[in-house]
């Protein structure tokens, strides 16, 4: 048994040794890719091999030999004898050999794959076992293997063999991501789930790709106690990327065999490439290029194309792309043949097809995948020959096929066009089909038809440039297997017969020539086109135009001519005429006459000269060489203009003329143009009528000549200046250029002048009864002879109202002079004199009449109502309008006054009295001066100097009253009749002297608003009483609040805590008016920063109805629907202020009270804090009826009473204090990497309840801000303080969302479905991006040994996150605590950015350094990638990647090895994460074979 254990131990040691693994062919765990590269294949294509950049491995050396054992450690002969006696063989000279060296028959099914054999040593006979010892050892081994069959004690009961003894975790070991040359491990735990200790045997995997080692064993005895487990490590070394399967066999003591599957399988790639790749259609000998997109939606894979059946047994996969292969038998070419695709990647497979005959070509290829799977694909394409087919021709043609390759079988197509006239166009539609699935490029050519001789000589068709046929489109592309429609037009320009051939050319048809495949042009189709063009048949009706009669020159004469078209098609006509005296206009000048129809044109003829005219008009026809001629003949005359005088008398009569030197008379006349043309005229007196003595005409015309328009009537005037008195008889002649005129007779009578009155009527104005008025009458002589006058008598119906006396009743008026006669006129009684005439008898029997007008008045009184401030002395002005006492708009209980002036315009003294008809005061005494409401001017007018010193009231006398109290009591007595207003005249009666003025003051006051109307009656002497209207508009309310400041009533409630019980205040309201007033209360809150300017109120019916349900009837003329615009002062509210009751009645001359409530509970969650509100009390009248005396508005039509209200609700909040860093978090984005996916930064804060209330609240935060305390609801007693932790979680998802955003300002919200941060307008986290430039300096060693400091600007980006920690109180109040986070994105830069190696020796490696600097405190990971050619030289960098944990820099070693003398350039691109900021390092160097360039360092 001991020897068996030793044998097993030695086998395990051998399996774990490196030599055993090499012998088994198992690679090491860390195997480089160079072991899988074919260096010969790489060198064949001039590519880098691992030997170019890897150091050669050191040669393998044999292990040191084990020294011989010292003598003191060797067995003695006695020991060996004891060992032989114990039958324990010592096999020191045995060795383990691999199974490849042993026949398979020597391996048993249960062995581990290796057996012990004798090593071929020289003294092998010494280690041979004795047969007896061998037999005893075999028996011992049999007993050892049979130990599981020992009988068990009966007390343990019968064991259930079906019960599970061991369970494995996991039950299956699966490797799903691996690469060739690397090893992968997984742990396997085997747990004893029975109720007793058990032994376990695990058989290793059978394949070389899986190995197993024991990692942990809880017991040293080999038995596993119940509940304990043993751990094994399974190692997977893939030899390929294909499927690997194996299993572990677990043999427990007393239990069934358990298998643990071992599987190595990667996710297979899934390609979007179909099994059949149809390339389409191609012409014979042509080339068809097709692309197929192949996308991998499965796992990563490397693919290689092989013709079907040519895949090698051991195909090699790499990223190199060998040349494309061609299927020569079928003309297919496929590229690329090798490619690698990751998940989601795609590649474009290009297929070229070049057929040589008409057939469908098909070939297959195999796609080999690196997971050892194959997939077959089929390539197919169809080759065709070019062929077209005619489908239809408008006018009738059958379908004909045309094969370009067989032109001899083509049948011609004939298209005949109907007979037409030259210049017409006819169209036919021709449909052609492309019979192949390939687009064909075509163009049409119109050719001449060959004659029989030309056909016999095989002449070629040539283009006909004058052919009338055209085909559209003439050039284009025939779509594959589609029909194309062509339009053939025929447009002959001359008469005759036309025959042509339309030839269809097809371009780019592949053809095989000795020089190769070329693209040729083929004649595909011939179409014969025929047409007959006939000449036009057109005539004019009438053929000549002779216009009868005589027409006015300048007038237009219109005639019509018909154009008759007897041709086969329409024609275009154009009229022309020669330049000359005759002017023509043809409508229309150009027109189209349809076939078999006629058109009528209008010819307008005009000339400027008279006489007979004749000429020809030319009618040009389109497409007709010889035009038509129209003969025209007509006669014309000039215009006729006449002058005329009076309509009743054709003569121009100047009438009677008083002759005197220089006298003149003007008369109007007119000239008339009787024709519709312009005419030139001239006026003059007939020559033989001109006075020969004076040698010039006595007439002067406003116009002596000019031009007059058609049918114009022009008004002219003539001035006649007579030379001597006589009877005028003469003629005025009108002369017309190229026309006819007439003569006008002129008559008149010229005599000497006489005497006239200077004024035929005298208005004396206003005079009074019995008061004489003086005036004069003036005679004027209008001739050169003396004259005389005599007063005859007074006549007229008004002569009884007055008497006139002249100082002279007769006298002489000298020639050319004037005579003035004074007179006196006296009124007898009051009247208006209009018909009073005095006659004067003049010499020669002529009578002159003088009219007298006057207004005789008696007693005259005028009433005026000027403003008090505008009282002025009497001006003598008459009263123009009725007086009105308008007091305007006056506030109630404020007396006012107006002035009434009574003016006596006569000399009669009289008495006057005044009375108010309705609204008179209750007492008759006039008001004291202080109660009159007079202005300063009126007070100075009516107060005397003695009144300036007034008596003060006695302070000790209880009955003594101040002046203000006395005035109030006076008006209270006057208004006690409850009429609302009263008017008092002071004085109410008196004496009015002659020509005097009396001023009366009218006093008014009111105790109720409304518009009052009354009448003041003025009685002066015996005159009729004068009624003066009185109007007063009383405003303001008789209500007032009994508060300390009634000018601006305000109720201040003070400060109360939130949710306190309502507080009440009582306000007393007094009514000084005579009417009960109902108040309706509305409350408004004043909103800060309210930009509303006005409020629009909408009322229907009674705006404030009575709460009892009674409705106020709508008055006559009152609108049912009303709108009002009022200034906006606040928003209508229902709290926190309210009135109880909200409707109340204030009795007349009494008072009432209302309760004003303030509810601190209203502010919960609405507008906690200071409340500034006001209430409006709308006033409605109870039992009021409007009348003619008083009209009162109410409700919304009256300004409401206003009372201000203030109150404050104190909302208790906790006092939040931040500790250490406050509420601003500062984080570096670089702390998030592949190892750290999430980082939380914690700050502390304290919450203090500084109020006297118990506060209960919850705290909430918006991610990425968080609260670290699991308890979210808190209750704080007064003065209690707690401390909380709050923080910010910076995660990879948050950083990704910030980096992917393109906005400067946005909001973030957490999408709970996938845990991602997304941009949302409703997000509670506001993000602002800040970008700034950092000025960083560093030292640089210059080539001359000096050190220079360089300052660079490095961009840095920061993300600012703003949010709130919200405290939700149980009363609905919210308290927000602003929090802020600043995330700094790392940045870095390199110095210098351009490196020059200069000239280096070819083959020698040169070294330089640059510095990579991280100026920020954020961690940063960086990598570098080289881009550039390596043919001329190689650049290297060390290290090529790294990581900054803080603000630091690293020195990078750069190498350059020149391969040739040409310049080498390269670029290293550095990428920093997070942020993906890139830098570029440019490298330049040049090689040289000059050994002087060798560098020692």
């Amino acid at each position: 048994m001991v020897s068996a254990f030793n044998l097993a131990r030695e086998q395990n040691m051998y399996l774990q040794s490196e030599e055993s693994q090499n012998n088994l062919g198992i690679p090491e765990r860390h195997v480089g890719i160079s072991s899988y590269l074919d260096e010969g294949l790489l060198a064949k294509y001039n590519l880098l091999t691992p030997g170019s950049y890897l150091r050669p491995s050191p040669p393998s050396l044999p292990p040191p030999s084990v020294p011989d054992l010292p003598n003191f450690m060797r067995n003695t002969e006695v020991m060996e004898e004891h060992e032989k006696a114990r039958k324990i063989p010592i096999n020191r000279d045995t060795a383990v050999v691999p199974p490849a060296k042993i026949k398979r028959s020597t391996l048993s099914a249960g062995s581990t794959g290796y057996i012990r054999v004798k090593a071929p040593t020289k003294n092998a006979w010494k280690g041979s076992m004795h047969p007896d010892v061998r037999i005893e050892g075999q028996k011992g081994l049999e007993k050892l293997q049979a130990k599981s069959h020992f009988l068990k004690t009966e007390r343990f009961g019968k064991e259930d063999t079906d019960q599970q003894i061991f369970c494995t975790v996991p039950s299956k070991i699966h490797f799903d991501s691996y690469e060739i040359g690397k090893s992968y491990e997984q742990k396997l735990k085997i747990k004893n789930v029975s109720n007793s200790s058990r032994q376990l045997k695990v058989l290793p995997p059978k394949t070389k790709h899986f190995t197993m080692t024991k990692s942990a064993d809880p017991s040293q005895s080999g038995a596993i106690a119940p509940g304990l487990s043993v751990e094994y490590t399974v190692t997977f070394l893939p030899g390929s990327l294909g499927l690997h399967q194996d299993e572990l066999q677990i043999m427990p003591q007393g239990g069934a065999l358990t298998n643990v599957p071992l599987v190595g399988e990667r996710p297979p790639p899934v390609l979007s490439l179909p099994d059949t790749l149809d390339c389409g259609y191609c012409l014979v000998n042509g080339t068809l290029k097709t692309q197929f997109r192949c996308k991998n939606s499965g796992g990563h894979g490397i693919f290689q194309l092989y013709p079907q059946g040519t895949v090698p047994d051991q195909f090699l996969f790499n990223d190199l792309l060998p040349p494309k292969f061609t299927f020569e038998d079928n003309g297919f070419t496929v590229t690329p043949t090798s490619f690698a695709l990751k998940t989601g990647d795609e590649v474009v497979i290009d297929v070229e097809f070049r057929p040589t005959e008409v057939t469908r070509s098909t070939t297959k290829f195999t796609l080999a995948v690196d997971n050892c799977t194959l997939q077959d694909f089929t390539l197919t394409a169809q080759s065709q020959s070019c062929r077209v087919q005619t489908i239809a021709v408008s006018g009738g043609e059958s379908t004909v096929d045309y094969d370009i390759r067989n032109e001899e079988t083509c049948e011609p197509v004939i298209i005949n066009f109907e007979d037409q006239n030259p210049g017409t166009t006819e169209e036919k539609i021709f449909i052609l089909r492309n019979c192949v699935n390939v687009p064909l490029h075509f163009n049409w050519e119109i050719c001449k038809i060959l004659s029989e001789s030309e056909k016999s000589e095989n002449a070629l068709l040539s283009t006909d440039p004058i052919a009338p046929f055209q085909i559209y489109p003439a050039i284009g592309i025939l779509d594959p297997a589609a029909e194309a429609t062509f339009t053939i037009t025929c447009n002959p320009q001359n008469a005759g017969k036309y025959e042509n051939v339309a030839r269809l050319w097809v371009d780019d048809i592949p053809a095989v020539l000795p020089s190769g495949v070329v693209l040729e042009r083929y004649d595909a189709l011939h179409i014969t086109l025929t047409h007959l063009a006939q000449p036009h048949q057109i005539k004019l009706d009438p053929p000549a135009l002779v216009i009868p009669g005589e027409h006015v020159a300048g007038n237009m004469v219109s005639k019509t001519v018909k154009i008759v078209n007897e041709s086969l098609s329409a024609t275009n006509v154009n009229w022309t005429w020669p330049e000359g005296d005759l002017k023509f206009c043809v409508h229309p000048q150009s027109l189209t006459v349809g076939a078999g129809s006629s058109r009528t044109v209008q010819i307008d003829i005009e000339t400027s000269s008279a006489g007979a005219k004749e000429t020809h008009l030319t009618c040009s026809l389109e497409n007709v060489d010889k035009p038509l001629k129209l003969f025209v003949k007509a006669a014309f005359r000039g215009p006729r203009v006449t002058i005329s005088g009076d309509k009743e008398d054709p003569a121009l009569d100047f009438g009677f003329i008083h002759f005197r030197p220089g006298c003149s008379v003007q008369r109007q006349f007119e000239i008339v143009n009787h024709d519709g043309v312009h005419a030139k005229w001239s006026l003059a007196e007939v020559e033989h009528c001109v006075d020969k003595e004076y040698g010039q005409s006595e007439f002067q015309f406003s116009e002596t000549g000019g031009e007059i328009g058609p049918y114009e009537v022009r008004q002219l005037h003539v001035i006649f200046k007579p030379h001597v008195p006589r009877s005028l008889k003469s003629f005025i002649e009108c002369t017309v250029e190229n026309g006819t005129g007439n003569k006008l007779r002129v008559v008149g009578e010229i005599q000497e002048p006489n005497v006239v009155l200077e004024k035929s009527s005298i208005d004396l104005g206003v005079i009074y009864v019995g008061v004489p008025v003086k005036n004069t009458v003036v005679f004027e002589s209008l001739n050169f002879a003396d004259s005389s006058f005599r007063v005859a008598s007074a006549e007229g119906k008004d002569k009884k109202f007055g008497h006139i006396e002249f100082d002279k009743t007769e006298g002489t008026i000298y020639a050319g002079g004037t005579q003035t006669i004074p007179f006196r006129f006296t009124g007898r009684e009051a009247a208006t004199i209009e018909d009073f005439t005095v006659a004067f008898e003049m010499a020669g029997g002529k009578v002159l009449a003088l009219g007298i007008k006057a207004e005789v008045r008696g007693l005259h009184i005028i009433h005026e109502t000027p403003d008090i401030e505008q009282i002025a002395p009497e001006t003598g002005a008459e009263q123009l309008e009725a007086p009105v006492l308008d007091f305007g708009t006056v506030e109630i209980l404020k007396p006012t006054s107006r002035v009434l002036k009574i003016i006596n315009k006569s000399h009669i003294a009289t008495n006057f009295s005044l009375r108010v008809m309705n609204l008179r005061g209750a007492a008759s005494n006039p008001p004291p001066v202080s109660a009159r409401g007079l202005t300063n001017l009126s007070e100075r007018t009516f107060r005397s100097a003695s009144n300036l010193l007034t008596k003060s009231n006695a302070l000790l006398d209880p009955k003594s009253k101040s002046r203000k109290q006395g005035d109030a009591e006076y008006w209270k007595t006057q208004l006690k009749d409850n009429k609302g207003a009263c008017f008092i005249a002071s004085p109410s009666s008196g004496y009015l002297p002659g020509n005097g003025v009396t001023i009366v003051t009218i006093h008014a006051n009111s105790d109720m608003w409304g518009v009052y109307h009354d009448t003041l009656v003025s009685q002066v002497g015996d005159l009729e009483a004068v009624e003066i209207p009185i109007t007063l508009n009383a405003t303001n309310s008789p209500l007032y609040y009994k508060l300390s400041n009634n000018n601006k009533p305000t109720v201040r409630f003070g400060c109360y805590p939130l949710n306190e019980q309502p507080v009440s205040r009582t306000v007393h309201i007094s009514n000084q008016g005579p009417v009960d007033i109902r108040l309706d209360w509305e409350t408004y809150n004043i909103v800060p920063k309210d930009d509303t300017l006005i409020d629009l109120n909408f009322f229907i019916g009674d705006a404030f109805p009575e709460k009892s349900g009674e409705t106020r009837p709508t008055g006559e003329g009152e609108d049912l629907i009303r709108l009002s615009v009022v200034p906006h002062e606040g928003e209508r509210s229902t709290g926190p202020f309210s009135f109880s009751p909200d409707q109340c009645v204030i009795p007349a001359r009494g008072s009432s009270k209302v309760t004003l409530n303030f509810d601190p509970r209203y502010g919960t969650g609405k507008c906690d804090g200071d409340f500034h509100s006001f209430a409006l009390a709308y006033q409605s009248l109870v039992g009021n009826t409007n009348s003619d005396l008083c009209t009162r508005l109410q409700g919304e039509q009256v300004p409401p009473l206003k009372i201000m209200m203030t109150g404050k609700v104190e909302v208790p909040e906790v006092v939040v204090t931040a500790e250490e860093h406050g509420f601003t978090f500062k984080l570096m984005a670089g702390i998030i990497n592949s190892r750290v996916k999430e980082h939380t930064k914690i700050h502390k804060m304290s919450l203090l309840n500084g109020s006297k209330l118990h506060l209960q609240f919850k705290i909430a935060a918006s991610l990425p801000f968080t609260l670290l305390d699991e308890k979210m609801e808190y209750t704080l007693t007064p003065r209690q303080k707690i401390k909380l932790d709050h923080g910010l979680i910076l995660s990879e998802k948050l950083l990704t969302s910030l980096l992917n955003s393109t906005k400067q300002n946005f909001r973030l919200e957490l999408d709970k479905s996938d845990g991602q941060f997304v941009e949302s307008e409703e997000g509670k986290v506001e993000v602002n991006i800040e970008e700034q430039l950092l000025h960083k300096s560093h030292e640089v060693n210059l080539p001359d040994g000096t050190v220079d400091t360089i300052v660079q600007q490095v961009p840095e980006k920061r993300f600012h996150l703003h949010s709130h920690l919200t405290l939700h109180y149980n009363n609905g109040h919210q308290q927000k605590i602003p929090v802020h986070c600043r995330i700094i994105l790392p940045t870095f830069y390199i110095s210098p950015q351009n490196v020059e190696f200069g000239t280096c020796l070819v083959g020698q490696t040169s070294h330089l350094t640059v510095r990579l600097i991280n100026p920020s405190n954020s961690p940063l990971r960086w990598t570098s990638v080289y881009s550039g050619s390596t043919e001329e030289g190689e650049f290297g960098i060390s290290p090529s990647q790294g990581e900054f944990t803080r603000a630091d820099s690293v020195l990078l070693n750069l190498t350059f090895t020149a391969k040739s003398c040409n310049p080498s350039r390269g670029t290293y691109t550095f990428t920093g994460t997070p942020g993906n900021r890139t830098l570029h390092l440019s490298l330049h160097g040049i090689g040289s074979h000059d050994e002087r360039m060798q560098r020692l360092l």
Side-chain angles (χ1 to χ4, degrees), residues 1080-1099:
D1080 291 88
W1081 296 94
E1082 289 184 356
T1083 59
Y1084 295 84
N1085 288 336
I1086 300 175
V1087 180
K1089 298 181 180 180
D1090 191 356
D1091 55 358
T1092 306
L1093 298 180
I1094 59 174
D1095 290 335
L1096 176 63
N1097 297 329
F1098 184 78
F1099 302 99

Side-chain angles (χ1 to χ4, degrees), residues 174-179 236 240-244 263-271 296-303 341-344 369-373:
H174 182 253
F175 297 88
D176 58 354
S177 177
Y178 51 87
E179 296 178 8
F236 175 50
S240 67
L241 299 180
L243 175 64
H244 301 275
V263 180
E265 182 182 10
R266 292 198 316 167
V270 180
L271 302 182
N296 181 15
S297 58
H300 172 73
I302 301 176
F303 308 86
L341 293 178
K342 296 181 180 180
T343 302
V369 193
D370 58 353
N371 62 356
C372 302
T373 59

Side-chain angles (χ1 to χ4, degrees), residues 1213-1232:
E1213 293 182 345
V1214 298
V1215 180
V1216 183
T1217 305
E1219 299 181 4
E1220 297 178 357
H1221 303 287
F1223 294 100
T1224 297
F1225 297 86
K1226 181 178 180 182
L1227 293 172
M1228 301 298 174
I1231 61 178
I1232 302 300

Side-chain angles (χ1 to χ4, degrees), residues 824-901:
R824 294 180 299 276
F825 186 86
T826 304
R828 294 177 178 176
E829 60 181 275
T832 300
I833 299 175
E834 293 182 352
D835 188 6
F836 190 101
T837 305
V838 179
F840 299 92
E841 296 178 355
M842 308 302 295
K846 183 178 179 181
V847 178
L848 298 178
L850 174 64
I852 301 296
K853 294 181 180 181
E855 182 180 357
V856 183
R857 294 181 180 179
L859 181 62
H860 185 202
I861 303 299
I862 295 177
H863 294 79
E864 291 183 356
T865 57
D867 292 339
I868 294 179
E869 302 289 347
Q870 299 176 355
I871 299 177
E874 176 61 28
T875 59
E878 295 292 332
Q879 182 170 330
L880 301 179
E881 57 184 15
V884 176
L885 284 171
D886 187 359
F887 288 88
T889 302
V890 183
E891 295 182 4
I892 64 172
L893 298 177
K894 289 188 177 181
T896 183
S897 301
R898 289 298 303 273
V899 172
L900 174 65
K901 292 174 61 177

Side-chain angles (χ1 to χ4, degrees), residues 972-1026:
K972 183 177 181 181
T973 303
Q974 295 289 352
L975 295 170
K976 66 181 181 180
D977 293 341
N978 295 334
K979 297 179 182 180
C982 67
F983 302 98
I984 301 173
S986 177
S988 58
S989 61
Y991 174 76
L992 184 62
N995 292 327
V997 177
T998 299
I999 298 177
V1000 180
T1001 305
I1002 312 299
H1003 307 280
N1005 203 351
S1006 63
D1007 58 359
M1008 186 63 189
W1009 78 78
V1011 179
Y1012 298 92
H1013 302 277
D1014 206 345
T1015 303
L1016 178 66
V1017 179
S1018 175
Q1019 182 69 50
V1020 180
D1022 296 334
L1023 298 178
E1024 185 179 357
V1026 177

